[in-house]
């Protein structure tokens, strides 16, 4: 929500939730990368691994935007994808939670 302010407490909650979700998703990508690399047999497999990593990076860079003006959208998407639960957002203002829920329901 443009122009919305975040309290220090909300910023701490947001940072914790954001970082935890990002680290979990990066761990998934790392595990998938290791699995694909270990099963690579030839050059075509090597390039497929590289393309997987490039696409994963694009997706993560697009999804994880830690600007306060974007966090409602980020958290809504993460909630919709099942990457976070609403409970971890405890401490955010009800207006922010309502916006996050709206985004998650899209």
């Amino acid at each position: 929500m443009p122009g919305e302010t975040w309290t220090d407490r909300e910023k701490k909650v947001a940072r914790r939730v954001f970082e935890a979700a990002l680290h979990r998703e990066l761990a998934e990508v790392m595990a998938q990368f290791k699995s694909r690399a270990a099963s690579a047999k030839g050059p075509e497999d090597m390039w497929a691994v590289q393309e997987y990593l490039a696409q994963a990076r694009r997706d993560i860079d697009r999804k994880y935007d830690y600007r306060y003006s974007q966090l409602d959208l980020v958290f809504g998407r993460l909630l919709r994808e099942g990457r976070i639960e609403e409970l971890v957002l405890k401490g955010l203002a009800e207006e922010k939670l309502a916006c996050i829920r709206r985004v998650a329901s899209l």
Side-chain angles (χ1 to χ4, degrees), residues 43-98:
E44 65 281 350
D45 298 325
M46 177 178 63
W47 299 129
V49 171
Q50 184 275 333
E51 182 54 38
Y52 165 75
L53 283 175
Q55 184 62 49
R57 182 173 187 165
R58 285 189 297 271
D59 293 344
I60 287 172
D61 287 347
R62 213 175 300 122
K63 184 187 307 187
Y64 289 90
D65 183 350
Y66 195 82
R67 290 179 291 170
Y68 294 114
S69 63
Q70 299 300 304
L71 285 178
D72 293 342
L73 300 173
V74 171
F75 291 150
R77 179 177 180 178
L78 293 174
L79 189 61
R80 183 176 60 242
E81 291 178 356
R83 295 202 169 275
I84 63 171
E85 295 182 13
E86 188 173 334
L87 181 62
V88 300
L89 299 170
K90 184 179 179 191
L92 298 184
E94 185 55 40
E95 300 82 35
K96 289 181 182 78
L97 290 172

Side-chain angles (χ1 to χ4, degrees), residues 6-14:
W6 291 70
T7 66
D8 287 341
R9 179 178 180 208
E10 289 177 320
K11 289 177 181 179
K12 287 177 185 172
V13 169

